[in-house]
Amino acid sequence: MSNFDDISNNAADFSRSLNEIADYVDTSYEKIVRKVCIDIYKAIVTKTPVLTGRAKASWGIDVNPSDYKAPDREYSEGEIRQMVSENVSEFKLSVHDGTVTIYNNLEYIEALEDGHSDQAPSGMVSLSLAAFTTKFNNGLRNFRGLDPI
């Protein structure tokens, strides 16, 4: 076998190894991003005040949300838990996807976020994102060379 053959075989092995690493990293990235998005989504739903259940039942998570209409009936906590569970299980994410959107098209959701409820005077989304940012930054401190956001 010539040196060229050795180089060619080594290059092919190296290329295969790089592809395996890339697949592993992509899969790990997808899992991490999916988990983070789901955790934030669940935190927002949990912090959403309940009178009729419509506000909680109106939250969704998707990469490409379609036209979505907020529900127009009351929901029990059990129904809301089931809807959240279904939204989480249906939420798919690829490393090449764009922006993940956590959405709520209920006509008064902005008022709730702005504190118009005694149950959530500081909102839901801003509190959930602030808590996540703190948690994320604390995690980054464990890695040398990575700066908090």
Side-chain angles (χ1 to χ4, degrees):
M1 187 183 270
S2 71
N3 284 340
F4 181 76
D5 289 336
D6 287 341
I7 292 170
S8 178
N9 288 337
N10 288 340
D13 289 343
F14 182 66
S15 178
R16 262 191 306 281
S17 295
L18 286 178
N19 285 331
E20 289 173 13
I21 290 170
D23 289 344
Y24 175 78
V25 168
D26 283 353
T27 300
S28 297
Y29 169 80
E30 286 173 5
K31 288 178 183 177
I32 291 167
V33 171
R34 184 175 188 276
K35 176 160 181 15
V36 165
C37 293
I38 288 169
D39 287 352
I40 293 171
Y41 164 72
K42 286 181 174 180
I44 292 169
V45 173
T46 299
K47 287 177 178 57
T48 302
V50 177
L51 182 60
T52 65
R54 286 183 67 211
K56 277 192 177 206
S58 295
W59 287 109
I61 182 171
D62 203 345
V63 174
N64 297 307
S66 58
D67 283 343
Y68 172 76
K69 288 191 173 190
D72 61 356
R73 68 175 181 87
E74 294 185 11
Y75 289 84
S76 70
E77 282 294 323
E79 288 175 307
I80 293 167
R81 278 192 301 277
Q82 180 64 32
M83 290 174 79
V84 168
S85 178
E86 288 172 5
N87 285 344
V88 166
S89 66
E90 291 172 3
F91 174 56
K92 305 296 182 222
L93 181 69
S94 168
V95 72
H96 304 291
D97 285 337
T99 304
V100 173
T101 304
I102 298 172
Y103 57 91
N104 188 320
N105 292 338
L106 192 62
E107 61 274 5
Y108 55 84
I109 200 66
E110 286 184 50
L112 290 178
E113 177 63 22
D114 291 339
H116 292 279
S117 167
D118 291 339
Q119 294 179 44
S122 299
M124 309 81 61
V125 177
S126 57
L127 286 177
S128 298
L129 291 177
F132 168 76
T133 301
T134 299
K135 183 177 174 181
F136 183 78
N137 286 338
N138 288 338
L140 281 181
R141 286 185 180 88
N142 295 324
F143 295 98
R144 188 176 310 236
L146 295 179
D147 295 323
I149 57 174

mmCIF file of all heavy atoms in Angstrom, residues 23-58:
data_model
loop_
_atom_site.group_PDB
_atom_site.id
_atom_site.type_symbol
_atom_site.label_atom_id
_atom_site.label_comp_id
_atom_site.label_asym_id
_atom_site.label_seq_id
_atom_site.Cartn_x
_atom_site.Cartn_y
_atom_site.Cartn_z
ATOM 1 N N ASP A 23 -23.068 14.707 13.753
ATOM 2 C CA ASP A 23 -24.387 14.131 14.031
ATOM 3 C C ASP A 23 -24.673 14.151 15.521
ATOM 4 O O ASP A 23 -25.777 14.479 15.960
ATOM 5 C CB ASP A 23 -24.480 12.695 13.505
ATOM 6 C CG ASP A 23 -24.535 12.641 11.984
ATOM 7 O OD1 ASP A 23 -24.805 13.691 11.358
ATOM 8 O OD2 ASP A 23 -24.296 11.550 11.432
ATOM 9 N N TYR A 24 -23.661 13.805 16.323
ATOM 10 C CA TYR A 24 -23.819 13.794 17.772
ATOM 11 C C TYR A 24 -24.091 15.207 18.293
ATOM 12 O O TYR A 24 -25.001 15.428 19.089
ATOM 13 C CB TYR A 24 -22.572 13.214 18.447
ATOM 14 C CG TYR A 24 -22.626 13.285 19.948
ATOM 15 C CD1 TYR A 24 -23.385 12.373 20.676
ATOM 16 C CD2 TYR A 24 -21.946 14.277 20.640
ATOM 17 C CE1 TYR A 24 -23.455 12.442 22.049
ATOM 18 C CE2 TYR A 24 -22.014 14.358 22.020
ATOM 19 C CZ TYR A 24 -22.761 13.438 22.717
ATOM 20 O OH TYR A 24 -22.835 13.524 24.082
ATOM 21 N N VAL A 25 -23.324 16.168 17.814
ATOM 22 C CA VAL A 25 -23.492 17.551 18.257
ATOM 23 C C VAL A 25 -24.856 18.078 17.841
ATOM 24 O O VAL A 25 -25.554 18.712 18.638
ATOM 25 C CB VAL A 25 -22.353 18.445 17.720
ATOM 26 C CG1 VAL A 25 -22.658 19.917 17.928
ATOM 27 C CG2 VAL A 25 -21.043 18.071 18.391
ATOM 28 N N ASP A 26 -25.266 17.834 16.598
ATOM 29 C CA ASP A 26 -26.581 18.279 16.138
ATOM 30 C C ASP A 26 -27.680 17.691 17.006
ATOM 31 O O ASP A 26 -28.593 18.396 17.414
ATOM 32 C CB ASP A 26 -26.810 17.897 14.677
ATOM 33 C CG ASP A 26 -26.064 18.795 13.699
ATOM 34 O OD1 ASP A 26 -25.474 19.801 14.152
ATOM 35 O OD2 ASP A 26 -26.075 18.490 12.503
ATOM 36 N N THR A 27 -27.607 16.399 17.278
ATOM 37 C CA THR A 27 -28.612 15.734 18.103
ATOM 38 C C THR A 27 -28.601 16.318 19.509
ATOM 39 O O THR A 27 -29.653 16.605 20.071
ATOM 40 C CB THR A 27 -28.359 14.214 18.146
ATOM 41 O OG1 THR A 27 -28.437 13.702 16.814
ATOM 42 C CG2 THR A 27 -29.388 13.511 19.004
ATOM 43 N N SER A 28 -27.428 16.515 20.074
ATOM 44 C CA SER A 28 -27.331 17.084 21.418
ATOM 45 C C SER A 28 -27.872 18.506 21.435
ATOM 46 O O SER A 28 -28.610 18.890 22.341
ATOM 47 C CB SER A 28 -25.884 17.072 21.898
ATOM 48 O OG SER A 28 -25.419 15.754 22.001
ATOM 49 N N TYR A 29 -27.528 19.289 20.433
ATOM 50 C CA TYR A 29 -28.011 20.663 20.320
ATOM 51 C C TYR A 29 -29.536 20.675 20.263
ATOM 52 O O TYR A 29 -30.186 21.446 20.972
ATOM 53 C CB TYR A 29 -27.405 21.319 19.080
ATOM 54 C CG TYR A 29 -28.031 22.633 18.709
ATOM 55 C CD1 TYR A 29 -27.679 23.797 19.381
ATOM 56 C CD2 TYR A 29 -28.976 22.707 17.690
ATOM 57 C CE1 TYR A 29 -28.256 25.012 19.044
ATOM 58 C CE2 TYR A 29 -29.556 23.910 17.347
ATOM 59 C CZ TYR A 29 -29.190 25.057 18.029
ATOM 60 O OH TYR A 29 -29.770 26.247 17.690
ATOM 61 N N GLU A 30 -30.106 19.820 19.422
ATOM 62 C CA GLU A 30 -31.555 19.760 19.298
ATOM 63 C C GLU A 30 -32.198 19.415 20.634
ATOM 64 O O GLU A 30 -33.198 20.021 21.024
ATOM 65 C CB GLU A 30 -31.964 18.728 18.246
ATOM 66 C CG GLU A 30 -31.708 19.177 16.834
ATOM 67 C CD GLU A 30 -31.951 18.085 15.812
ATOM 68 O OE1 GLU A 30 -32.408 16.986 16.181
ATOM 69 O OE2 GLU A 30 -31.673 18.331 14.621
ATOM 70 N N LYS A 31 -31.634 18.444 21.330
ATOM 71 C CA LYS A 31 -32.193 18.039 22.623
ATOM 72 C C LYS A 31 -32.117 19.164 23.636
ATOM 73 O O LYS A 31 -33.064 19.406 24.377
ATOM 74 C CB LYS A 31 -31.460 16.803 23.156
ATOM 75 C CG LYS A 31 -31.788 15.539 22.413
ATOM 76 C CD LYS A 31 -30.997 14.373 22.963
ATOM 77 C CE LYS A 31 -31.270 13.106 22.168
ATOM 78 N NZ LYS A 31 -30.465 11.985 22.644
ATOM 79 N N ILE A 32 -30.988 19.857 23.674
ATOM 80 C CA ILE A 32 -30.810 20.952 24.630
ATOM 81 C C ILE A 32 -31.777 22.090 24.328
ATOM 82 O O ILE A 32 -32.487 22.570 25.217
ATOM 83 C CB ILE A 32 -29.350 21.453 24.624
ATOM 84 C CG1 ILE A 32 -28.432 20.393 25.218
ATOM 85 C CG2 ILE A 32 -29.222 22.775 25.382
ATOM 86 C CD1 ILE A 32 -26.954 20.649 24.976
ATOM 87 N N VAL A 33 -31.834 22.517 23.064
ATOM 88 C CA VAL A 33 -32.712 23.625 22.690
ATOM 89 C C VAL A 33 -34.170 23.242 22.912
ATOM 90 O O VAL A 33 -34.958 24.040 23.443
ATOM 91 C CB VAL A 33 -32.463 24.072 21.226
ATOM 92 C CG1 VAL A 33 -33.511 25.071 20.767
ATOM 93 C CG2 VAL A 33 -31.069 24.657 21.097
ATOM 94 N N ARG A 34 -34.548 22.033 22.565
ATOM 95 C CA ARG A 34 -35.928 21.575 22.763
ATOM 96 C C ARG A 34 -36.286 21.615 24.239
ATOM 97 O O ARG A 34 -37.336 22.108 24.628
ATOM 98 C CB ARG A 34 -36.116 20.175 22.193
ATOM 99 C CG ARG A 34 -37.557 19.684 22.286
ATOM 100 C CD ARG A 34 -37.735 18.322 21.596
ATOM 101 N NE ARG A 34 -39.124 17.951 21.523
ATOM 102 C CZ ARG A 34 -39.796 17.359 22.512
ATOM 103 N NH1 ARG A 34 -39.189 17.065 23.646
ATOM 104 N NH2 ARG A 34 -41.075 17.065 22.371
ATOM 105 N N LYS A 35 -35.395 21.102 25.091
ATOM 106 C CA LYS A 35 -35.658 21.086 26.530
ATOM 107 C C LYS A 35 -35.778 22.501 27.085
ATOM 108 O O LYS A 35 -36.690 22.789 27.866
ATOM 109 C CB LYS A 35 -34.583 20.326 27.286
ATOM 110 C CG LYS A 35 -34.805 20.399 28.799
ATOM 111 C CD LYS A 35 -34.108 19.349 29.549
ATOM 112 C CE LYS A 35 -34.320 19.371 31.045
ATOM 113 N NZ LYS A 35 -35.378 20.127 31.612
ATOM 114 N N VAL A 36 -34.892 23.388 26.681
ATOM 115 C CA VAL A 36 -34.939 24.780 27.152
ATOM 116 C C VAL A 36 -36.267 25.418 26.751
ATOM 117 O O VAL A 36 -36.931 26.060 27.569
ATOM 118 C CB VAL A 36 -33.745 25.580 26.596
ATOM 119 C CG1 VAL A 36 -33.952 27.068 26.748
ATOM 120 C CG2 VAL A 36 -32.454 25.146 27.279
ATOM 121 N N CYS A 37 -36.660 25.254 25.499
ATOM 122 C CA CYS A 37 -37.912 25.840 25.015
ATOM 123 C C CYS A 37 -39.112 25.282 25.770
ATOM 124 O O CYS A 37 -40.013 26.035 26.161
ATOM 125 C CB CYS A 37 -38.075 25.593 23.515
ATOM 126 S SG CYS A 37 -36.864 26.487 22.519
ATOM 127 N N ILE A 38 -39.126 23.985 25.978
ATOM 128 C CA ILE A 38 -40.231 23.359 26.705
ATOM 129 C C ILE A 38 -40.263 23.837 28.155
ATOM 130 O O ILE A 38 -41.334 24.128 28.700
ATOM 131 C CB ILE A 38 -40.136 21.819 26.622
ATOM 132 C CG1 ILE A 38 -40.500 21.369 25.198
ATOM 133 C CG2 ILE A 38 -41.032 21.151 27.654
ATOM 134 C CD1 ILE A 38 -40.203 19.906 24.906
ATOM 135 N N ASP A 39 -39.107 23.953 28.786
ATOM 136 C CA ASP A 39 -39.060 24.435 30.168
ATOM 137 C C ASP A 39 -39.609 25.859 30.281
ATOM 138 O O ASP A 39 -40.370 26.172 31.199
ATOM 139 C CB ASP A 39 -37.633 24.383 30.722
ATOM 140 C CG ASP A 39 -37.167 22.965 31.027
ATOM 141 O OD1 ASP A 39 -37.988 22.023 30.955
ATOM 142 O OD2 ASP A 39 -35.969 22.795 31.333
ATOM 143 N N ILE A 40 -39.228 26.721 29.340
ATOM 144 C CA ILE A 40 -39.735 28.099 29.357
ATOM 145 C C ILE A 40 -41.244 28.103 29.101
ATOM 146 O O ILE A 40 -42.002 28.787 29.793
ATOM 147 C CB ILE A 40 -38.994 28.978 28.335
ATOM 148 C CG1 ILE A 40 -37.530 29.150 28.754
ATOM 149 C CG2 ILE A 40 -39.673 30.339 28.181
ATOM 150 C CD1 ILE A 40 -36.653 29.813 27.709
ATOM 151 N N TYR A 41 -41.686 27.323 28.122
ATOM 152 C CA TYR A 41 -43.115 27.221 27.801
ATOM 153 C C TYR A 41 -43.911 26.785 29.035
ATOM 154 O O TYR A 41 -44.910 27.411 29.403
ATOM 155 C CB TYR A 41 -43.301 26.241 26.642
ATOM 156 C CG TYR A 41 -44.706 25.728 26.442
ATOM 157 C CD1 TYR A 41 -45.702 26.557 25.932
ATOM 158 C CD2 TYR A 41 -45.039 24.423 26.754
ATOM 159 C CE1 TYR A 41 -46.991 26.087 25.738
ATOM 160 C CE2 TYR A 41 -46.325 23.943 26.568
ATOM 161 C CZ TYR A 41 -47.295 24.777 26.064
ATOM 162 O OH TYR A 41 -48.573 24.317 25.884
ATOM 163 N N LYS A 42 -43.453 25.725 29.703
ATOM 164 C CA LYS A 42 -44.159 25.227 30.881
ATOM 165 C C LYS A 42 -44.161 26.256 32.013
ATOM 166 O O LYS A 42 -45.152 26.403 32.732
ATOM 167 C CB LYS A 42 -43.539 23.921 31.367
ATOM 168 C CG LYS A 42 -43.873 22.731 30.491
ATOM 169 C CD LYS A 42 -43.232 21.477 31.067
ATOM 170 C CE LYS A 42 -43.652 20.238 30.329
ATOM 171 N NZ LYS A 42 -43.030 19.019 30.902
ATOM 172 N N ALA A 43 -43.049 26.969 32.186
ATOM 173 C CA ALA A 43 -42.977 27.997 33.232
ATOM 174 C C ALA A 43 -43.988 29.110 32.960
ATOM 175 O O ALA A 43 -44.666 29.585 33.882
ATOM 176 C CB ALA A 43 -41.565 28.557 33.319
ATOM 177 N N ILE A 44 -44.109 29.512 31.700
ATOM 178 C CA ILE A 44 -45.065 30.562 31.338
ATOM 179 C C ILE A 44 -46.488 30.094 31.613
ATOM 180 O O ILE A 44 -47.288 30.814 32.218
ATOM 181 C CB ILE A 44 -44.892 30.986 29.867
ATOM 182 C CG1 ILE A 44 -43.551 31.704 29.683
ATOM 183 C CG2 ILE A 44 -46.054 31.862 29.399
ATOM 184 C CD1 ILE A 44 -43.154 31.928 28.232
ATOM 185 N N VAL A 45 -46.807 28.873 31.191
ATOM 186 C CA VAL A 45 -48.151 28.337 31.413
ATOM 187 C C VAL A 45 -48.439 28.263 32.911
ATOM 188 O O VAL A 45 -49.517 28.667 33.368
ATOM 189 C CB VAL A 45 -48.325 26.957 30.751
ATOM 190 C CG1 VAL A 45 -49.655 26.333 31.141
ATOM 191 C CG2 VAL A 45 -48.222 27.058 29.225
ATOM 192 N N THR A 46 -47.476 27.784 33.678
ATOM 193 C CA THR A 46 -47.662 27.645 35.123
ATOM 194 C C THR A 46 -47.928 28.994 35.778
ATOM 195 O O THR A 46 -48.756 29.096 36.692
ATOM 196 C CB THR A 46 -46.415 26.987 35.758
ATOM 197 O OG1 THR A 46 -46.252 25.688 35.185
ATOM 198 C CG2 THR A 46 -46.548 26.873 37.261
ATOM 199 N N LYS A 47 -47.261 30.038 35.330
ATOM 200 C CA LYS A 47 -47.410 31.366 35.926
ATOM 201 C C LYS A 47 -48.652 32.112 35.440
ATOM 202 O O LYS A 47 -49.009 33.161 35.985
ATOM 203 C CB LYS A 47 -46.165 32.209 35.638
ATOM 204 C CG LYS A 47 -44.950 31.803 36.435
ATOM 205 C CD LYS A 47 -43.737 32.633 36.043
ATOM 206 C CE LYS A 47 -42.508 32.300 36.850
ATOM 207 N NZ LYS A 47 -42.093 30.906 36.791
ATOM 208 N N THR A 48 -49.309 31.602 34.423
ATOM 209 C CA THR A 48 -50.488 32.265 33.872
ATOM 210 C C THR A 48 -51.656 32.130 34.843
ATOM 211 O O THR A 48 -51.977 31.029 35.289
ATOM 212 C CB THR A 48 -50.865 31.665 32.503
ATOM 213 O OG1 THR A 48 -49.747 31.807 31.619
ATOM 214 C CG2 THR A 48 -52.075 32.355 31.901
ATOM 215 N N PRO A 49 -52.295 33.255 35.189
ATOM 216 C CA PRO A 49 -53.409 33.195 36.145
ATOM 217 C C PRO A 49 -54.619 32.456 35.570
ATOM 218 O O PRO A 49 -54.786 32.383 34.351
ATOM 219 C CB PRO A 49 -53.733 34.672 36.390
ATOM 220 C CG PRO A 49 -53.205 35.393 35.210
ATOM 221 C CD PRO A 49 -52.030 34.600 34.710
ATOM 222 N N VAL A 50 -55.422 31.928 36.478
ATOM 223 C CA VAL A 50 -56.582 31.139 36.064
ATOM 224 C C VAL A 50 -57.867 31.732 36.634
ATOM 225 O O VAL A 50 -57.993 31.913 37.842
ATOM 226 C CB VAL A 50 -56.460 29.679 36.558
ATOM 227 C CG1 VAL A 50 -57.706 28.893 36.179
ATOM 228 C CG2 VAL A 50 -55.228 29.013 36.015
ATOM 229 N N LEU A 51 -58.760 32.053 35.754
ATOM 230 C CA LEU A 51 -60.125 32.381 36.134
ATOM 231 C C LEU A 51 -61.031 31.399 35.402
ATOM 232 O O LEU A 51 -61.747 30.618 36.011
ATOM 233 C CB LEU A 51 -60.469 33.834 35.792
ATOM 234 C CG LEU A 51 -61.863 34.297 36.183
ATOM 235 C CD1 LEU A 51 -62.077 34.171 37.687
ATOM 236 C CD2 LEU A 51 -62.101 35.733 35.736
ATOM 237 N N THR A 52 -60.913 31.392 34.074
ATOM 238 C CA THR A 52 -61.692 30.459 33.256
ATOM 239 C C THR A 52 -60.824 29.363 32.655
ATOM 240 O O THR A 52 -61.342 28.386 32.136
ATOM 241 C CB THR A 52 -62.379 31.210 32.092
ATOM 242 O OG1 THR A 52 -61.366 31.724 31.228
ATOM 243 C CG2 THR A 52 -63.271 32.325 32.596
ATOM 244 N N GLY A 53 -59.508 29.536 32.692
ATOM 245 C CA GLY A 53 -58.586 28.583 32.079
ATOM 246 C C GLY A 53 -58.257 28.912 30.638
ATOM 247 O O GLY A 53 -57.375 28.292 30.047
ATOM 248 N N ARG A 54 -58.942 29.895 30.074
ATOM 249 C CA ARG A 54 -58.701 30.239 28.664
ATOM 250 C C ARG A 54 -57.284 30.725 28.432
ATOM 251 O O ARG A 54 -56.653 30.370 27.426
ATOM 252 C CB ARG A 54 -59.681 31.310 28.184
ATOM 253 C CG ARG A 54 -61.083 30.804 27.958
ATOM 254 C CD ARG A 54 -61.989 31.884 27.410
ATOM 255 N NE ARG A 54 -61.555 32.248 26.067
ATOM 256 C CZ ARG A 54 -61.692 33.470 25.551
ATOM 257 N NH1 ARG A 54 -62.234 34.439 26.260
ATOM 258 N NH2 ARG A 54 -61.283 33.723 24.340
ATOM 259 N N ALA A 55 -56.758 31.545 29.328
ATOM 260 C CA ALA A 55 -55.413 32.100 29.134
ATOM 261 C C ALA A 55 -54.372 30.985 29.134
ATOM 262 O O ALA A 55 -53.499 30.947 28.266
ATOM 263 C CB ALA A 55 -55.104 33.133 30.214
ATOM 264 N N LYS A 56 -54.468 30.073 30.096
ATOM 265 C CA LYS A 56 -53.512 28.950 30.148
ATOM 266 C C LYS A 56 -53.671 28.042 28.938
ATOM 267 O O LYS A 56 -52.682 27.579 28.376
ATOM 268 C CB LYS A 56 -53.708 28.125 31.426
ATOM 269 C CG LYS A 56 -53.017 28.683 32.619
ATOM 270 C CD LYS A 56 -53.007 27.665 33.743
ATOM 271 C CE LYS A 56 -52.241 28.242 34.918
ATOM 272 N NZ LYS A 56 -51.669 27.201 35.748
ATOM 273 N N ALA A 57 -54.901 27.780 28.559
ATOM 274 C CA ALA A 57 -55.171 26.869 27.442
ATOM 275 C C ALA A 57 -54.770 27.463 26.103
ATOM 276 O O ALA A 57 -54.658 26.738 25.108
ATOM 277 C CB ALA A 57 -56.651 26.488 27.415
ATOM 278 N N SER A 58 -54.525 28.763 26.059
ATOM 279 C CA SER A 58 -54.203 29.425 24.797
ATOM 280 C C SER A 58 -52.727 29.420 24.452
ATOM 281 O O SER A 58 -52.348 29.850 23.362
ATOM 282 C CB SER A 58 -54.699 30.877 24.826
ATOM 283 O OG SER A 58 -56.107 30.908 24.902
#
